[in-house]
Amino acid sequence: EVRVLFGEGTPPATVDLATGPGLVVWGAESNDTLGTSLAFGNIDGATEYFDPGLGQFVYVPLDDLVIGAPDGDGPTANCVPGVNCRSGAGDVVVIRGKDKRFDPFPASYDVASSFLDVVLYGRDPGDALGTEVTLGDPNGDGYDEILAGVADGAGPANARAFGGEFWLISPWDADSDTRRGLADNCPETYNSNQFDSDNDKIGNACDNCLNTPNTDQIDTDGDGQGNACDTDDDDDGIPDASDNCPLTAT
């Protein structure tokens, strides 16, 4: 199990976890070892809540809780090893942050029966997904990804027994187009088809040069047309080919 004690201005000198306040999260099954690893971070980018009293959104940065259970048995509850079970594949559970004023946490979450925001399951029996978890934003989109250790993973084609693996996982789909974070070429613009005419890894829906590769998307004059395909990058009326300061309006 995992217990979360919420911060306060004057914390108590002692806390008895048998009766103390806070949030408790229980593992789904015996021997799941929920809580072997823990991390906090913002995987959904939530930074505001609507305050009915004020009639407006207020800034409230919220961290989410990520918990590893490396001995979890995958998506089938009470499964039978060798029949319908990924025995020891490991699980990672995500509980999104809540503001205590508008949407307080319940007293407890039971992973076996509670509605959870995200649950990740190890790929193969014995993988031990969630041995370690941490969060970071490697692609700079403002949403944290989960970096999860798979201590007993067997590598490519399961050909390296106990070689170990490390997975970088995007749990959040900011634009609700069924493409999550790292796998979305327009992470904040709906584009389920992922069309990319110039193969620059920027989808057509958000690419400022549809037919000219420009991964950097630099647009000096802010006219919505990237420098790579804009013939007047500084918008001074002088074509770049004739401009002695093509990036500075003169």
Side-chain angles (χ1 to χ4, degrees):
E1 65 188 49
V2 170
R3 290 188 177 266
V4 180
L5 302 179
F6 299 112
E8 52 186 292
T10 305
T14 61
V15 175
D16 184 349
L17 294 182
T19 58
L23 167 68
V24 60
V25 185
W26 289 300
E29 299 177 358
S30 299
N31 301 313
D32 272 5
T33 60
L34 180 80
T36 297
S37 57
L38 299 166
F40 281 98
N42 194 338
I43 66 167
D44 61 3
T47 57
E48 61 184 11
Y49 262 90
F50 185 77
D51 184 336
L54 296 175
Q56 64 186 28
F57 285 94
V58 294
Y59 179 76
V60 182
L62 298 172
D63 280 338
D64 308 304
L65 175 60
V66 180
I67 312 171
D71 293 316
D73 296 329
T76 305
N78 300 312
C79 60
V80 178
V83 178
N84 63 341
C85 189
R86 298 182 203 166
S87 181
D91 308 333
V92 171
V93 173
V94 178
I95 299 175
R96 291 173 59 191
K98 296 176 178 289
D99 187 281
K100 65 180 181 181
R101 293 169 294 176
F102 311 119
D103 185 20
F105 280 106
S108 64
Y109 282 97
D110 185 341
V111 175
S113 58
S114 300
F115 176 80
L116 298 170
D117 296 298
V118 180
V119 181
L120 308 172
Y121 299 115
R123 184 179 64 177
D124 298 305
D127 270 2
L129 173 73
T131 307
E132 297 284 349
V133 294
T134 188
L135 301 178
D137 184 15
N139 61 345
D141 65 357
Y143 303 95
D144 281 343
E145 272 71 46
I146 298 173
L147 294 88
V150 184
D152 296 330
N158 287 335
R160 302 175 188 168
F162 304 107
E165 301 167 4
F166 208 86
W167 287 73
L168 178 61
I169 304 162
S170 294
W172 191 247
D173 178 11
D175 53 12
S176 301
D177 63 359
T178 73
R179 306 283 183 163
R180 292 179 285 121
L182 293 170
D184 194 343
N185 60 19
C186 286
E188 296 192 2
T189 302
Y190 185 95
N191 68 326
S192 58
N193 57 35
Q194 299 286 287
F195 289 158
D196 179 11
S197 298
D198 54 10
N199 295 311
D200 63 357
K201 303 186 185 304
I202 307 295
N204 289 358
C206 59
D207 194 343
N208 59 19
C209 284
L210 285 179
N211 298 305
T212 303
N214 66 325
T215 303
D216 58 26
Q217 296 287 288
I218 293 175
D219 178 11
T220 298
D221 55 9
D223 63 357
Q225 190 173 30
N227 289 5
C229 58
D230 191 344
T231 58
D232 183 8
D233 288 334
D234 56 9
D235 201 28
D236 64 355
I238 303 173
D240 290 341
S242 305
D243 195 340
N244 59 10
C245 290
L247 301 180
T248 304
T250 56

